Amino acid sequence: MSQQRRDELQARLAAVRARIDRACAESGRSPAEVALVVVTKFFPASDVRLLAALGVRHVGENRHQEAVEKAAECADLGLDWHYIGALQSNKAAAVAGYAAVVQSVDRAKLLNGLSRGAEEHGRVLDCLVQVSLDPPGASGRSGAAIGDVPALVERVLETPNLRLRGVMGVAPLGGDPRQAFARLREVASDVRRTAPEATWISAGMSGDLEDAIGQGATHLRIGSAVLGPRPVVK
Ligand SMILES: *Cc1c(COP(=O)(O)O)cnc(C)c1O
């Protein structure tokens, strides 16, 4: 394994942790309340291994095929894999085979597959409802419309082998992340009225983690700030 890559990841990780500490101090929160999920999509299993040695416990992936292979290669590391990407319903059961958390539950059609996969692996799968923070009518981005969240929450709660932990959101491209995350925080608080144990708020990426922490995020999904720019996909 490359010593140089290790040093680079260590330095970037330290810089991200410093940003988290600073943002927590500014909003009177403890960094212990904020879990760092390092998004390793497009980067090799060797990087995941280096990150684990540097103390990373949670990794995020957004494509099933890539995630299933990487999780198998890294099975000895005892990491929690978070599935954060768009999910096809015919892949849902398979994702439950390696993911500890599925953050991108955006429609009821996924629930049977997730539940079946969790049951096959003899465990309960943590789920977040992904909420769309895009302006109404925006196309092509994922997440349940805010108005559809209560019904989806009900469905998750009544599905065996799934445990609703909270909500996830991505700030809209070009929008104000602080405003978007404030909205997500309101949605999260509505969800907790029916599901008091659903306390997680996954918000914040490399460019907007400070805004997310300011709006109560409990989980950050950080890719490029730790791993560097993603390789270009053609
Ligand atoms: C890729 C990705 C991230 C990480 O993005 P960065 O800007 O590289 O930190 C976070 N969340 C989701 C849903 C992603 O797909």
Side-chain angles (χ1 to χ4, degrees):
M1 267 178 239
S2 138
Q3 180 69 29
Q4 193 190 333
R5 182 61 169 156
R6 185 196 167 280
D7 292 348
E8 184 187 331
L9 292 177
Q10 184 170 37
R12 288 176 171 280
L13 198 55
V16 166
R17 290 202 168 118
R19 283 174 66 189
I20 295 171
D21 289 353
R22 210 176 313 124
C24 282
E26 272 168 23
S27 46
R29 301 185 61 199
S30 160
E33 300 167 22
V34 182
L36 172 61
V37 180
V38 178
V39 178
T40 49
K41 65 190 186 199
F42 299 111
F43 288 93
S46 56
D47 279 351
V48 176
R49 206 161 273 285
L50 290 170
L51 289 165
L54 293 167
V56 169
R57 302 317 320 153
H58 302 278
V59 290
E61 289 284 337
N62 75 336
R63 295 186 301 184
H64 168 63
Q65 196 50 44
E66 180 181 344
V68 69
E69 289 167 17
K70 233 181 273 180
E73 278 180 76
C74 297
D76 58 310
L77 299 176
L79 296 170
D80 279 352
W81 293 80
H82 292 240
Y83 192 80
I84 63 172
L87 190 50
Q88 289 168 261
S89 48
N90 62 350
K91 302 276 166 61
V95 167
Y98 58 86
V101 186
V102 176
Q103 296 204 2
S104 44
V105 175
D106 61 356
R107 59 200 192 283
K109 213 180 161 209
L110 300 172
L111 301 179
N112 280 341
L114 291 173
S115 176
R116 185 161 38 80
E119 181 169 35
E120 278 164 17
H121 291 86
R123 53 197 198 76
V124 171
L125 182 64
D126 285 338
C127 294
L128 301 182
V129 164
Q130 182 175 355
V131 180
S132 171
L133 302 174
D134 292 324
S139 64
R141 307 200 73 206
S142 38
I146 289 177
D148 296 337
V149 169
L152 182 53
V153 161
E154 292 290 346
R155 294 291 308 277
V156 178
L157 292 174
E158 69 197 22
T159 305
N161 313 310
L162 304 184
R163 177 165 49 184
L164 182 71
R165 299 310 299 263
V167 295
M168 183 270 246
V170 178
L173 286 170
D176 172 7
R178 206 195 68 86
Q179 232 170 32
F181 295 148
R183 196 87 178 84
L184 184 63
R185 179 184 225 170
E186 286 169 21
V187 175
S189 120
D190 288 343
V191 168
R192 282 198 306 276
R193 263 185 251 145
T194 27
E197 68 290 353
T199 55
W200 296 6
I201 301 178
S202 173
M205 318 199 327
S206 293
D208 54 24
L209 71 86
E210 287 82 2
D211 286 320
I213 289 172
Q215 297 303 320
T218 63
H219 290 67
L220 306 171
R221 307 176 310 273
I222 309 295
S224 48
V226 172
L227 287 136
R230 279 186 282 280
V232 179
V233 270
K234 297 192 192 82

